[in-house]
Amino acid sequence: MSKILVVDDEFRIRQIIRKYAEFEGYEVEEAVDGMQAIEVCRKNSFDLIIMDVMMPELDGFSACREIRKFCDTPIIMLSARGEEYDKIHGFELGSDDYVVKPFSPKELMMRVNAVIKRTGSSSETEPKKEVFKYQGLEVDFSARIVTIDGKRIEMTPKEYDLFFYMVKNRGLALTRESLISEVWGYDFFGDERTLDTHIKLLRRSLGEYSRCIVTLRGVGYRFETL
């Protein structure tokens, strides 16, 4: 049984998520603020964390930053603030998804199921050693390491997922729908800027090799060696 940590200072929100999560077959533990969430995560392991942003004691962004220092558990952020800046900040800290309040509990569970399925299935089989090289860019898929001129490039978990998928399908026109379906693992509904935000972060991480990510106007994106 997969285990979820729900972090929110609002009792009503925690209870709604617990109700739907337990119905889906998940075991649920709760925390009321960021400080408690960090303490709980140090003592227990979880398959996924649902983290509110605006909380007393320690906000969700700060808690996410601290948790990322000692574990890679997938994190879905919840927030009443849906501005692009807030989403970018959350993704930069290593969150896997960002859901704006008020949200549909059913939609949230779809995202939870997709993230757990994707991260769980990746550990079932031992990946083959596979490396892609282009000039000073090197991508080690099995080790999840990207280097430019021998220097390791730090990316968020979602940046790695998106970049690896694009590199493995290099030269192909990838529609926005296919990217979201394959990388996020669920039928996308809502703000399409989520993909564009990650592309922006990815290009920033790649520096001079950002030129390899080509925008196909009205279609999507393509990774190509120019």
Side-chain angles (χ1 to χ4, degrees):
M1 179 184 293
S2 296
K3 191 173 182 180
I4 296 176
L5 174 64
V6 178
V7 188
D8 199 302
D9 60 314
E10 294 187 49
F11 174 78
R12 181 180 61 85
I13 297 295
R14 297 200 308 273
Q15 289 304 297
I16 290 175
I17 297 175
R18 172 184 284 275
K19 175 182 177 181
Y20 278 81
E22 289 181 341
F23 180 79
E24 294 282 340
Y26 295 113
E27 182 180 347
V28 179
E29 191 164 334
E30 300 178 20
V32 299
D33 57 49
M35 293 293 288
Q36 187 178 17
I38 295 171
E39 181 180 350
V40 170
C41 286
R42 289 190 184 278
K43 297 177 180 179
N44 304 280
S45 60
F46 297 92
D47 296 282
L48 184 138
I49 301 168
I50 300 175
M51 177 92 69
D52 185 34
V53 172
M54 303 300 292
M55 295 185 293
E57 297 295 332
L58 190 70
D59 65 89
F61 286 149
S62 299
C64 179
R65 181 186 297 109
E66 292 303 311
I67 290 172
R68 277 289 171 261
K69 292 180 180 179
F70 60 86
C71 80
D72 293 324
T73 303
I75 298 176
I76 296 179
M77 304 297 294
L78 297 179
S79 177
R81 300 167 58 178
E83 290 81 3
E84 184 181 27
Y85 168 81
D86 297 297
K87 294 182 179 182
I88 290 176
H89 189 45
F91 293 139
E92 286 178 328
L93 293 174
S95 65
D96 292 75
D97 206 344
Y98 193 105
V99 176
V100 179
K101 294 180 177 180
F103 59 89
S104 161
K106 291 183 179 180
E107 176 186 340
L108 177 61
M109 284 302 107
M110 288 180 66
R111 299 188 182 210
V112 167
N113 294 338
V115 171
I116 288 182
K117 180 179 179 180
R118 173 173 52 78
T119 56
S121 61
S122 64
S123 61
E124 291 177 0
T125 58
E126 186 69 24
K128 290 183 178 181
K129 180 73 172 179
E130 185 180 358
V131 177
F132 166 78
K133 294 182 180 181
Y134 168 64
Q135 297 180 356
L137 174 66
E138 181 171 320
V139 183
D140 187 332
F141 296 101
S142 54
R144 288 178 71 84
I145 294 175
V146 178
T147 60
I148 295 179
D149 297 329
K151 181 180 179 181
R152 183 167 179 173
I153 305 302
E154 295 298 330
M155 298 182 179
T156 66
K158 191 60 66 180
E159 281 182 82
Y160 279 120
D161 293 339
L162 178 59
F163 185 50
F164 288 173
Y165 181 76
M166 294 184 73
V167 174
K168 288 182 177 180
N169 292 277
R170 54 190 175 274
L172 300 178
L174 302 173
T175 65
R176 301 171 66 85
E177 292 76 13
S178 66
L179 284 169
I180 288 176
S181 176
E182 294 296 330
V183 178
W184 273 259
Y186 57 84
D187 291 332
F188 183 71
F189 41 122
D191 190 352
E192 290 191 0
R193 291 180 300 175
T194 296
L195 173 60
D196 298 325
T197 298
H198 279 86
I199 290 290
K200 182 185 299 183
L201 292 171
L202 187 55
R203 282 174 167 157
R204 189 167 68 187
S205 297
L206 291 174
E208 63 176 298
Y209 291 100
S210 63
R211 67 180 188 274
C212 295
I213 298 179
V214 179
T215 299
L216 305 176
R217 195 173 299 276
V219 178
Y221 300 93
R222 179 176 63 239
F223 181 89
E224 61 181 41
T225 52
L226 305 175

